[in-house]
C-alpha cells in the first residue's frame, strides 16, 4: 500500500513539473513573465527587494529570468544590494554578486553602500563589498568617506579593513577634519592609535588651523594627549596663544 501511495505521489510530482515546463520556459523572459502573471507575482523592483529581504533566492531567480534589472531600486530607494548589506545578509549578497549585481550603488539616503556597511560594523559584509568593488574597478580614493565615518565613530577594525584595501587615511572631509582629527575629537583611542601606527601625520591641521594635539587638549583627553606627544604631535602657536599651556 505504501509503495502504491509513493508511486502516486511521484506521478503527481512529475505531472506538476511537466505542467510547469509546458507553461514556462526559464530561458525565455516573455514566457517567465507570463508565468509570473498567472501566479500573480509582480515582476517589479519592489517585489525583488522584498524577496531579498526574506532571502528567497528561488523567487529572485524567477524575476531575473524575466529580465528584471538586478540593480533597480525599489520605491523606497533601496535596491537589493543596499538592503542585503544593511541587514548583514551575506548569503543574499553572494547570490546577487554571482548574478551580476554591482557593489558600487547607493542606498535610499544617497550614501554609498560601503559607507553604510562600515557604519553597521559588519566585517564580513564590508570585506565582501570591498572584494566586489575591486572587481568592478572601483577607485580606492572614493573610500575616503568610509574612512572618515570609521574614524568619527571610532571603529578601529573598520579602519584596518579599509586601510588593507588601499583606502586613503589622510583625506580631509567636507567639515575640514582629517580622520586623525575625528578620532581625537571623539576620544577614540584605539582608532587614533591605529592611524598613528599607519604613519599618518600627527601634526596635520584641520580646516580651522588646529592640530590633533590642540583638539586632544581642548577635549581634555589625557590618555590621548600622552600618546600623541610620544608620536611627535605638537600644539600650534595659535592654540598656545589663544588658550595658553604647553
Amino acid at each position: 500500500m505504501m509503495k502504491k501511495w509513493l508511486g502516486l505521489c511521484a506521478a503527481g510530482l512529475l505531472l506538476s513539473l511537466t505542467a510547469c515546463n509546458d507553461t514556462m520556459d526559464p530561458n525565455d523572459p516573455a514566457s517567465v513573465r507570463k508565468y509570473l502573471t498567472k501566479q500573480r507575482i509582480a515582476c517589479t523592483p519592489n517585489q525583488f527587494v522584498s524577496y531579498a529581504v526574506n532571502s528567497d533566492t528561488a523567487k529572485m531567480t524567477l524575476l531575473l529570468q524575466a529580465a528584471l534589472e538586478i540593480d533597480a531600486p525599489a520605491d523606497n530607494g533601496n535596491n537589493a544590494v543596499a538592503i542585503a548589506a544593511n541587514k548583514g545578509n551575506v548569503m543574499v549578497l553572494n547570490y546577487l554578486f554571482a548574478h551580476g549585481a554591482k557593489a558600487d550603488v547607493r542606498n535610499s539616503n544617497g550614501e554609498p553602500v560601503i559607507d553604510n556597511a562600515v557604519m553597521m560594523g559588519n566585517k564580513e559584509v564590508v570585506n565582501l563589498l570591498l572584494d566586489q568593488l575591486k572587481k568592478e574597478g572601483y577607485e580606492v580614493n572614493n573610500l575616503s568617506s568610509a574612512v572618515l565615518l570609521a574614524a568619527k565613530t571610532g571603529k578601529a577594525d573598520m579602519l584596518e579593513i579599509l586601510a588593507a584595501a588601499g583606502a586613503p587615511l589622510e583625506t580631509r572631509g567636507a567639515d575640514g577634519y582629517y580622520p586623525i582629527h575625528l578620532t581625537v575629537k571623539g576620544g577614540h583611542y584605539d582608532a587614533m592609535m591605529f592611524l598613528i601606527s599607519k604613519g599618518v601625520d600627527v601634526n596635520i591641521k584641520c580646516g580651522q588651523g588646529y592640530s590633533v594635539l590642540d583638539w586632544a587638549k581642548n577635549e581634555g583627553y589625557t590618555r590621548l594627549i600622552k600618546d600623541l606627544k610620544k608620536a611627535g604631535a605638537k600644539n600650534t602657536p595659535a592654540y598656545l596663544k589663544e588658550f595658553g599651556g604647553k
Side-chain angles (χ1 to χ4, degrees), residues 161-183:
I161 291 172
L162 290 166
L169 301 179
E170 290 188 324
T171 300
R172 186 161 69 180
D175 56 6
Y177 298 113
Y178 287 86
I180 187 70
H181 290 108
L182 295 173
T183 61

Side-chain angles (χ1 to χ4, degrees), residues 178-194:
Y178 287 86
I180 187 70
H181 290 108
L182 295 173
T183 61
V184 170
K185 281 170 60 64
H188 304 306
Y189 179 81
D190 290 339
M192 180 195 80
M193 291 304 294
F194 173 76

